[in-house]
Amino acid sequence: MTVLDCFKQASRRLLAQDQNSLFTGSDPFQIKMQAIISEAVLDIAQQHDWLALTSLCTLTTDGSTADFDLPDDYGRMLVKADVHSSIWSINYQECADLDEWTQLQRFMPSTVPGYWIIYGDQFHLIPTPRANENPCFWYISSNLVKDADGTLKPLFTADADTFLLDEQLLTLAMIWRWKQAEGLDYAEDMQNYEARLSQIAAKDHGSKPIRSNRRGMNRLGIWGLRR
């Protein structure tokens, strides 16, 4: 189902009209819906760690590099983000903030394999990983849409584009968001959207948006064994 198909379904519900185009039209309804759809897909992507959007990044280490560019399609880390080492049986530990990162750079504790943080559009590790250690982590891609020739991209730009997630969920999102923008009662429509979201997320086995407190798991101890 294309984004135009979703738009047609929504317009039938909202205006009792058929629409022949979305991105090639200049009608105020079409223009407003373009903005609403962009907001909707970005919001849906944040609601769950969708398996369809999950990709694996493996860093190539040379023994001297500790700062790595993020993948071109990097959107965000998983809610339950782990950075895995190919040498140690435990994972890198996430650094809480830049202040802690500064302290680690000055007074690095005896912790293996070390810590990670993201800032400046780069992925940083401390201490510098060994050559061929090649840490890896899963992330959520920023590419939410596929165009007619199969190319992935962040947002809809053409009527023939398709959503990588549930199209019915997108249609429901269009409906309640348009009603909200028009100052109409959208409570029931939003409930329908949220019910569909819960239903789809329950069937998808990505991590849920609840971050557990796992700090300290990677502290050096008897379980910090090299593979």
Side-chain angles (χ1 to χ4, degrees):
M1 182 184 293
T2 66
V3 65
L4 178 58
D5 294 325
C6 296
F7 176 55
K8 285 180 177 180
Q9 289 188 7
S11 64
R12 288 166 188 157
R13 289 274 303 274
L14 294 170
L15 303 180
Q17 293 179 358
D18 258 331
Q19 296 286 333
N20 296 321
S21 64
L22 173 58
F23 287 96
T24 58
S26 57
D27 182 90
F29 179 63
Q30 295 168 327
I31 294 172
K32 179 174 285 188
M33 268 298 187
Q34 291 175 21
I36 286 173
I37 290 169
S38 295
E39 294 173 358
V41 295
L42 292 173
D43 182 61
I44 291 171
Q46 295 296 323
Q47 296 302 313
H48 182 76
D49 284 349
W50 305 102
L51 290 180
L53 303 180
T54 303
S55 296
L56 179 67
C57 175
T58 300
L59 305 175
T60 301
T61 58
D62 56 15
S64 61
T65 303
D67 311 307
F68 303 85
D69 291 337
L70 293 167
D72 291 339
D73 68 333
Y74 177 85
R76 62 176 174 84
M77 295 293 282
L78 300 182
V79 172
K80 297 179 180 178
D82 280 322
V83 178
H84 304 270
S85 169
S86 64
I87 294 178
W88 300 99
S89 61
I90 56 179
N91 302 324
Y92 283 84
Q93 183 164 318
E94 181 181 5
C95 183
D97 52 41
L98 290 173
D99 288 329
E100 182 179 7
W101 186 252
T102 300
Q103 289 297 101
L104 288 171
Q105 290 178 309
R106 293 177 177 176
F107 312 104
M108 179 63 188
S110 57
T111 300
V112 294
Y115 292 80
W116 67 271
I117 193 172
I118 295 175
Y119 65 86
D121 291 327
Q122 284 193 315
F123 191 94
H124 307 270
L125 293 168
I126 191 173
T128 299
R130 306 179 188 191
N132 301 316
E133 181 174 350
N134 299 343
C136 65
F137 59 90
W138 294 93
Y139 68 95
I140 297 297
S141 172
S142 60
N143 288 329
L144 313 177
V145 173
K146 181 168 63 176
D147 69 18
D149 66 6
T151 302
L152 300 179
K153 55 188 180 182
L155 294 172
F156 294 108
T157 57
D159 289 354
D161 291 344
T162 56
F163 192 32
L164 293 183
L165 300 175
D166 188 72
E167 294 96 342
Q168 183 182 352
L169 184 63
L170 177 59
T171 301
L172 293 172
M174 292 184 203
I175 292 169
W176 80 258
R177 286 174 177 273
W178 183 85
K179 286 189 174 182
Q180 181 190 49
E182 293 294 306
L184 303 174
D185 182 11
Y186 62 92
E188 183 177 353
D189 298 287
M190 187 174 183
Q191 289 176 0
N192 293 336
Y193 163 81
E194 291 177 340
R196 180 67 178 175
L197 174 63
S198 297
Q199 180 185 41
I200 298 301
K203 295 178 181 179
D204 188 274
H205 296 291
S207 56
K208 306 300 186 293
I210 300 175
R211 184 178 294 277
S212 59
N213 182 2
R214 299 182 298 160
R215 292 185 61 77
M217 285 180 62
N218 295 352
R219 299 294 179 184
L220 181 60
I222 61 172
W223 302 114
L225 305 177
R226 186 176 176 181
R227 292 176 180 171

